Amino acid sequence: MELLIFLIAIVMIGGLIVVPALRRMRGGRGAMQGAMRASDPQEYGFVPRERLDVRLPGPDRQLIDALEEVQARQDWQPAARLLALTDATSELRWQRVQTLAGAAAFELAQAPGQGGMWLRTWRVAAPEDPGAAEVHAEFLVRQALLDPSSQDFRMILEEARDVCHEAARLAPKDPVPHIIELGVARGMAYRQADFEELWTKVTKLAPHHMGAHLAALHYWCEKWHGSQDRADAFTHAAAASAPAKSLL
């Protein structure tokens, strides 16, 4: 009889422990599934991640066509024509320069010494083309930031800075050379006074440029040369000064 009572007690105690635990597990799984559904773009009517073209921030058929022609024929002229017809102060020009530079960097990574030859040919064939200088400068910044510990890091960034200044000379009303130099400033640890002088050049030409603000934000982050407070102050000031319904 005592054994029976003991077994019943064990079952009752086990039930008090196991049943709530199982409920918590089921509740946890439910919460996790709910969180996964909440983070699924399709729940909000957006395109699934696997169908997104992450190379671009939005549709740009002209850029895709030009890039495909450049890569298929290793001919720089479609890229040159595209940038020549793109408004210098627009977000679109900055995005196109970034994409072309990224394509050249990717090609070089895939075929060291040979990839991205069209960019080098472009620079030689059209030394006065500001578009070529901008793409080249952005390409150099990307190459340097791939490995900040490299012994060539500073040398590459110094070359990128020189090309930025050349591009700015060729297109004095274009903010893109100065935006690219923001990446140089981050890597080379410009003094804050020098960075702010560069930032003044950017905002004088394109005061509400979203891409420029994103590039500058890196400098003010704690990871680089600022702090959490400085980064927060920069973003709040940018948002407060932005036109209504703008990207910024």
Side-chain angles (χ1 to χ4, degrees):
M1 185 69 181
E2 291 178 356
L3 179 60
L4 179 60
I5 293 173
F6 175 74
L7 291 173
I8 291 172
I10 291 295
V11 170
M12 291 178 66
I13 293 171
L16 290 172
I17 296 172
V18 173
V19 171
L22 289 173
R23 287 175 178 168
R24 286 195 299 272
M25 288 175 65
R26 284 197 294 269
R29 283 197 297 269
M32 185 177 294
Q33 290 170 353
M36 290 175 67
R37 286 196 301 273
S39 64
D40 184 355
Q42 294 183 81
E43 287 289 316
Y44 305 95
F46 293 116
V47 175
R49 287 188 181 90
E50 61 271 16
R51 289 177 52 198
L52 292 175
D53 184 347
V54 297
R55 297 173 299 174
L56 303 172
D60 190 347
R61 189 68 251 173
Q62 289 180 311
L63 174 57
I64 293 298
D65 290 344
L67 189 54
E68 287 177 352
E69 191 174 353
V70 166
Q71 293 178 322
R73 297 166 43 199
Q74 288 296 298
D75 180 6
W76 54 270
Q77 295 186 64
R81 286 194 296 268
L82 180 72
L83 290 183
L85 296 173
T86 306
D87 178 14
T89 62
S90 67
E91 299 279 346
L92 190 60
R93 184 177 178 87
W94 169 233
Q95 292 163 8
R96 286 175 169 178
V97 166
Q98 283 189 301
T99 302
L100 290 168
F106 179 77
E107 288 180 35
L108 182 61
Q110 294 296 105
Q114 295 297 322
M117 188 64 72
W118 55 269
L119 177 54
R120 280 168 276 182
T121 305
W122 185 7
R123 286 288 282 143
V124 172
E128 296 299 303
D129 185 343
E134 290 171 0
V135 175
H136 184 205
E138 175 66 13
F139 168 83
L140 289 169
V141 172
R142 286 170 179 253
Q143 290 299 106
L145 293 177
L146 280 175
D147 184 9
S149 64
S150 167
Q151 61 181 3
D152 296 328
F153 176 69
R154 190 172 184 86
M155 181 180 69
I156 296 172
L157 285 180
E158 287 174 351
E159 182 182 356
R161 181 179 58 190
D162 291 343
V163 179
C164 285
H165 294 172
E166 182 182 351
R169 175 185 64 79
L170 294 170
K173 295 183 179 180
D174 187 345
V176 171
H178 305 301
I179 298 173
I180 296 170
E181 192 178 349
L182 294 173
V184 176
R186 174 169 37 120
M188 294 184 66
Y190 278 23
R191 294 181 311 149
Q192 289 186 4
D194 294 332
F195 184 86
E196 287 170 351
E197 182 181 351
L198 173 61
W199 182 239
T200 298
K201 294 178 182 178
V202 174
T203 53
K204 183 178 179 180
L205 294 170
H208 307 300
H209 197 291
M210 180 68 173
H213 281 79
L214 290 175
L217 179 59
H218 285 291
Y219 179 91
W220 293 116
C221 285
E222 187 174 3
K223 177 183 176 181
W224 288 95
H225 312 297
S227 65
Q228 182 69 47
D229 290 341
R230 283 185 177 274
D232 284 345
F234 179 79
T235 55
H236 282 275
S241 66
K245 299 182 179 180
S246 69
L247 283 173
L248 190 56

